[in-house]
Structure formats: C-alpha cells, structure tokens
C-alpha cells in the first residue's frame, strides 16, 4: 500500500491522519508497515482525506 508516500506528500503526520480518520496512530503505523490492512470503509475515508483514489492507495509498485 502506498499510504506512507501519499500521507507524506500531503505533509501529514501519522498522528494527524489518525485523528482525521478516528483511529489510533499505531493503527496507521501498522497499515504503513503492512502488518494490518484497513477495511474498505476506512480505505474510502483515507482516499477522501488524502484526496486520492482507492486505486492509488492499493496499487502495487513495480
């Protein structure tokens, strides 16, 4: 998932993103490291907050 790159491009900290999504900062960390995955509902919220598509969030890098 490209969450970390997209989050950083918007100049948001993990804490700021967590607050906007209503989750814990540790949850953001787990998503970014691949130890956990957000639900579809949360993916929609992340895409809204980061002003991107769900495809951009989940596309695999070559």
């Amino acid at each position: 998932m490209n969450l970390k790159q997209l989050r950083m491009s918007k100049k948001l900290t993990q804490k700021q993103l967590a607050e906007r999504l209503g989750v814990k900062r540790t949850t953001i960390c787990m998503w970014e490291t691949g130890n956990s995955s957000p639900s579809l509902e949360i993916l929609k919220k992340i895409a809204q907050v980061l002003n991107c598509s769900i495809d951009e969030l989940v596309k695999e890098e070559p």
Side-chain angles (χ1 to χ4, degrees), residues 5-40:
Q5 292 85 0
L6 289 165
R7 174 183 59 77
M8 291 176 73
S9 75
K10 301 295 181 183
K11 297 182 174 29
L12 289 172
T13 65
Q14 287 182 339
K15 182 179 179 187
Q16 290 168 324
L17 181 58
E19 288 170 353
R20 292 183 187 193
L21 297 174
V23 299
K24 295 180 180 182
R25 187 204 58 80
T26 54
T27 302
I28 302 294
C29 183
M30 289 178 65
W31 293 339
E32 289 185 354
T33 58
N35 291 322
S36 181
S37 297
S39 68
L40 181 57

Side-chain angles (χ1 to χ4, degrees), residues 31-52:
W31 293 339
E32 289 185 354
T33 58
N35 291 322
S36 181
S37 297
S39 68
L40 181 57
E41 281 303 311
I42 294 292
L43 274 176
K44 290 177 186 178
K45 282 184 174 181
I46 295 169
Q48 259 186 326
V49 169
L50 297 180
N51 195 29
C52 67

